[in-house]
């Protein structure tokens, strides 16, 4: 029986982008179903009854939730092509550490950059740049976070890059002068087919932000 | 060369307890170094320069941070005895999902139970019980979270049990009538040698809480 793979996702989600990239890396055909953030359907609520959030990866009827967990699941289920996590246990632990760091440190301040004003927004910008600098320092002179091979940590972070233009516009600041090496890394990543296919155009995200602010009632 | 394993930890930490249990499950001898929460030494700051938090597991000089990541590292590095994560990728993803759920949902409300008063404390108690009920429903009629075998999700949660007496005392409520099956699971777990050796006595935690409140300036 061929694998049935469904992805419940929402196009501007940097978390959903991770799962799309991981599936593309493995050349897995999947049924992409774009969801409405403000009107979640009963299938999503059934498939992720605990958190009621996308992305949800459904493989042969069984749901896997949380994007970082989905990347590991995809890597373990289809191990043949483009290994996403390193084989060495210590390197795997390091990759998981940075994945976790991105989940816990990057999203919070970005929300303040486009969603807040004044001091709160300034604090968000400052924290965001500090976090990016930590990531840039971890990247060092390497091509990708794991070394020569594109993998887990790259996938965890690159989706945020499609939002950088929006952050810069709504936060009135520039990211590249602060973290030129990280931007060079992002530019390398988006040349990769799996990433190019999975990230929306930056302009589309920038246009979407005012609509998002309106819908969540902060404009 | 024999493995050198050091654990920088703090005895009341429910996160550190996870790592102690995982090491005990694998019969790994380790040099336990209890840290001072309020006076972190330079070795800890060097070994976990990003978060500056314990537990830090140091294996042959190399640090691994974050307790859930440490459990996976221990399981992958010493795979022979007492496998902690399931072999099946889907079951592994489910275990990681619940580990993540415990990290994100359990700790927050418990902090309010012993550290807050009035409405805030009541909200913490309510949320804590809701979260425990979700976990109890996931446990169902199984012996352990993974089925017949003690493993990752059990290890992720059981450390909190050593704090239950303190939560009940400072929150003036009872947990067992709300979640009898979860308490029965905890009582099964603490009979296990690895857990018994790694969890401090509940009374010791209860005595410690007023000291903790004083030191962080909330009493």
């Amino acid at each position: 029986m061929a694998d049935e793979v469904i992805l419940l996702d929402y196009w501007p989600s940097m978390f959903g982008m991770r799962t799309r990239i991981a599936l593309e890396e493995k050349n897995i055909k999947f049924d992409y179903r774009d969801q409405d953030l403000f009107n979640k359907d009963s299938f999503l609520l059934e498939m992720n009854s605990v958190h009621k959030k996308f992305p949800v990866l459904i493989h042969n009827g069984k749901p896997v939730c949380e994007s970082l967990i989905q990347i590991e699941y995809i890597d373990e289920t289809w191990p043949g092509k483009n290994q996403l996590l390193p084989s060495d246990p210590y390197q795997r632990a390091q990759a998981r550490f940075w994945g976790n760091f991105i989940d816990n440190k990057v999203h919070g301040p970005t929300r303040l950059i486009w969603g807040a004003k004044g001091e709160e927004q300034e604090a968000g910008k400052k924290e965001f740049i500090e976090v990016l600098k930590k990531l840039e320092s971890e990247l060092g002179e390497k091509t990708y976070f794991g070394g020569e091979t594109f993998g887990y940590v790259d996938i965890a972070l690159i989706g945020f890059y499609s939002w950088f233009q929006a952050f810069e516009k709504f936060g009135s600041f520039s990211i590249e002068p602060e973290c030129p090496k990280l931007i060079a890394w992002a530019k390398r990543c988006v040349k990769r087919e799996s990433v190019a296919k999975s990230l929306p155009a930056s302009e589309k995200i920038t246009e979407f932000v005012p609509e998002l602010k309106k819908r969540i009632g902060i404009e």
Side-chain angles (χ1 to χ4, degrees), chain A:
Chain A
M1 192 188 77
D3 282 308
E4 186 203 49
V5 180
I6 300 169
L7 183 63
L8 307 183
D9 199 352
Y10 183 48
W11 69 270
S13 166
M14 48 281 264
F15 303 106
M17 292 175 209
R18 294 170 173 176
T19 312
R20 291 173 229 164
I21 295 169
L23 289 167
E24 293 292 346
E25 284 290 328
K26 299 288 184 177
N27 252 349
I28 305 299
K29 285 207 177 13
F30 60 101
D31 175 3
Y32 178 89
R33 299 190 189 169
D34 209 57
Q35 305 290 299
D36 182 348
L37 179 60
F38 300 97
N39 188 13
K40 293 178 178 174
D41 73 15
S42 60
F43 188 53
L44 172 71
L45 303 184
E46 179 195 334
M47 289 289 111
N48 185 357
S49 62
V50 174
H51 298 302
K52 303 175 178 65
K53 283 183 185 167
F54 35 74
V56 183
L57 175 72
I58 307 165
H59 182 206
N60 296 334
K62 294 196 292 185
V64 178
C65 301
E66 307 280 337
S67 59
L68 290 181
I69 295 173
Q70 289 162 0
I71 303 175
E72 292 220 49
Y73 177 77
I74 290 166
D75 205 29
E76 293 176 1
T77 304
W78 296 282
K81 195 178 178 258
N82 295 344
Q83 193 182 336
L84 304 176
L85 276 111
S87 309
D88 172 69
Y90 188 75
Q91 296 305 325
R92 290 166 78 85
Q94 291 305 99
R96 289 179 181 131
F97 175 84
W98 287 106
N100 200 41
F101 177 87
I102 294 164
D103 262 13
N104 290 323
K105 301 286 180 185
V106 180
H107 193 248
T110 67
R111 180 75 179 62
L112 296 176
I113 295 172
W114 61 262
K117 285 180 180 165
E119 270 180 41
E120 219 183 7
Q121 188 187 46
E122 288 307 311
K125 281 155 63 177
K126 188 167 171 274
E127 196 186 328
F128 179 61
I129 292 295
E130 276 168 18
V131 166
L132 291 188
K133 281 183 194 262
K134 275 214 171 131
L135 287 162
E136 189 174 70
S137 140
E138 169 59 19
L139 176 68
E141 299 304 321
K142 302 191 295 280
T143 309
Y144 297 111
F145 278 90
E148 286 308 305
T149 323
F150 178 82
Y152 181 83
V153 182
D154 306 299
I155 296 175
L157 185 60
I158 191 62
F160 288 93
Y161 180 61
S162 66
W163 281 70
F164 276 21
Q165 189 193 86
F167 299 156
E168 290 185 324
K169 180 175 172 182
F170 296 98
S172 308
F173 73 132
S174 295
I175 300 169
E176 190 162 4
E178 304 281 354
C179 325
K181 285 182 183 171
L182 197 73
I183 299 294
W185 159 85
K187 287 178 179 167
R188 277 197 294 282
C189 289
V190 294
K191 282 189 188 146
R192 215 175 154 86
E193 198 188 338
S194 66
V195 180
K197 277 177 89 166
S198 305
L199 263 55
S202 295
E203 294 73 20
K204 211 177 148 194
I205 299 280
T206 308
E207 282 166 27
F208 161 74
V209 168
E211 184 195 321
L212 176 65
K213 289 172 79 165
K214 213 161 146 185
R215 291 195 73 174
I216 59 179
I218 56 171
E219 193 71 327

